[in-house]
Amino acid sequence: MGDGRAGNQRGMGLFGTPVILAIAVVAGYYVYVGVFRDGQAPSCSEAQQDCMKACRRTSTDQASAAACQSECQRKRDACK
């Protein structure tokens, strides 16, 4: 039963602990952003990024994608 390696199998060890901590930090950041940024209006650059993402998701051809992106740029220019 005991082949001398049983001690290495206990707990998370040197690799598992930092991985778990990193996951906890990332999860905490997203919870923080979700709670505290929810009531604030997005900045001009955030609004443009969201608009561009929507263009990439909804535009099926090159012409409509270009029109959508130019509309996003016009909205950003007006935002300043």
Side-chain angles (χ1 to χ4, degrees):
M1 270 208 152
D3 60 358
R5 292 185 292 174
N8 293 336
Q9 298 297 318
R10 273 188 257 130
M12 288 185 282
L14 293 176
F15 178 73
T17 302
V19 170
I20 297 299
L21 287 174
I23 291 170
V25 167
V26 170
Y29 170 77
Y30 282 108
V31 167
Y32 170 80
V33 168
V35 170
F36 292 108
R37 295 280 315 261
D38 205 23
Q40 298 177 0
S43 69
C44 292
S45 63
E46 289 172 338
Q48 185 191 23
Q49 288 175 359
D50 290 342
C51 184
M52 295 294 244
K53 285 179 188 176
C55 288
R56 286 193 293 270
R57 288 186 193 127
T58 59
S59 301
T60 57
D61 59 23
Q62 188 65 28
S64 64
C68 185
Q69 290 173 358
S70 64
E71 179 67 18
C72 291
Q73 187 62 41
R74 186 191 65 73
K75 287 179 182 178
R76 180 181 167 93
D77 293 341
C79 182
K80 294 178 184 177

